[in-house]
Amino acid sequence: MAEGITIIPYIYTLDGKDYHSYLDYREQPVKEFYDTLRAGKMASTTQVTPQRYVEVWEPILEEGKDVLYICLSSMLSKSFEMSQMAANELSEKYPDRKIITIDSKSACMGIGLLAVSAKKAQDKGMSLDEAAAYIEDLLTRTHHWVMADDLHHLRRGGRVSGAAAFVGSMLSVKPILTMRTEGKLEPLHKARGRDKAFAYIIGKLEECKYDPAEGPIYIAHSDVPDYAQQMKDMITAKYGHKDFVMNHIGPVIGAHTGPGTIALIFAGKAKRLA
């Protein structure tokens, strides 16, 4: 993540213990997290409280700085609502400062794409309002295409229906999900086998008009680095793209997707209305 971006980690609970989901996984190695899920344990997640936002933002405001916050999709968590409550409270206490909270309608590295873009906008001299308007537009053009090996994790978290999870459990069927315009993760397609699933997802780079000017192609995976490398190699072979950011799906999202999930995230043309 770019320098100058403050991360507010979510909390997840696994095997009776709470962990903060820092980007460097300082409290639990990410592979240990996924190995624990593979062993049959279930993880749960907790939204960020208004008080936590206040604790992080208030020192920034006291320094005479403003805050632009980009939150996990409000369709996946109530943290955005909590951030608005904190912003309202602090705005009364610091009337000369500005706090803008944005519902990213994104997840995982999609939020990272937006955060890095916001920092670049700041570095180019955009005002807070200008940067916020740019991000509000960019999030409508940020695409998430996801292949899940097991939809039962998403079913348990209420992210997909039981019927969709049953279909996803069929032999060799790889369910493909996308993030809708409103920020809801939804099953969209089924492919026979991983290669066909990857080919379908990779085709979205062309269909959705990936725009290299808006940043690299992001590939996120839940402890399947070989899947990520295969997807990267297939993209390079088909389109010649070489600008990638590859990383794990963190425990907060991974608690709901489970191991074996891979996501392709990029900025392109505006999404069609869901």
Side-chain angles (χ1 to χ4, degrees), residues 202-216:
I202 289 167
K204 297 300 178 180
L205 286 164
E206 183 174 4
E207 181 181 330
C208 300
K209 306 297 182 186
Y210 162 58
D211 184 0
E214 294 290 6

Side-chain angles (χ1 to χ4, degrees), residues 212-231:
E214 294 290 6
I217 295 168
Y218 290 75
I219 299 177
H221 65 91
S222 53
D223 199 34
V224 280
D226 53 329
Y227 287 16
Q229 187 62 49
Q230 179 187 353
M231 179 171 280

Side-chain angles (χ1 to χ4, degrees), residues 84-153:
Q84 290 181 305
M85 292 172 61
N88 290 336
E89 176 185 335
L90 288 171
S91 292
E92 292 182 5
K93 189 174 180 179
Y94 298 90
D96 294 332
R97 300 266 55 85
K98 184 172 291 187
I99 306 169
I100 299 176
T101 62
I102 294 177
D103 178 358
S104 72
K105 298 179 172 58
S106 300
C108 191
M109 295 178 79
I111 302 173
L113 184 159
L114 297 173
V116 170
S117 297
K119 183 62 171 63
K120 289 179 179 178
Q122 180 191 48
D123 292 344
K124 291 178 181 178
M126 285 191 189
S127 68
L128 194 74
D129 288 327
E130 289 170 337
Y134 166 59
I135 296 304
E136 289 280 9
D137 172 70
L138 183 60
L139 67 85
T140 69
R141 298 184 283 113
T142 299
H143 298 264
H144 303 64
W145 294 94
V146 183
M147 186 204 80
D149 262 1
D150 181 3
L151 282 183
H152 288 294
H153 285 273

Side-chain angles (χ1 to χ4, degrees), residues 12-17 19 28 31-45 150 152-154 156 251 254-259:
Y12 65 96
T13 303
L14 181 62
D15 206 14
K17 184 177 179 179
Y19 301 88
Q28 183 184 43
K31 181 165 181 53
E32 179 182 297
F33 168 78
Y34 282 113
D35 283 345
T36 305
L37 293 190
R38 290 185 178 102
K41 300 289 186 179
M42 291 296 297
S44 60
T45 58
D150 181 3
H152 288 294
H153 285 273
L154 289 163
R156 292 186 190 103
H256 303 288
T257 65

Side-chain angles (χ1 to χ4, degrees), residues 154-205:
L154 289 163
R155 177 185 60 81
R156 292 186 190 103
R159 268 60 180 185
V160 299
S161 69
F166 174 76
V167 169
S169 68
M170 294 169 58
L171 183 64
S172 298
V173 171
K174 300 297 182 183
I176 295 169
L177 303 90
T178 190
M179 193 75 78
R180 291 294 195 181
T181 307
E182 73 275 20
K184 180 180 180 181
L185 191 62
E186 188 172 294
L188 189 68
H189 182 74
K190 299 183 294 292
R192 290 283 182 180
R194 190 169 75 239
D195 289 351
K196 289 184 178 179
F198 281 10
Y200 178 88
I201 291 173
I202 289 167
K204 297 300 178 180
L205 286 164

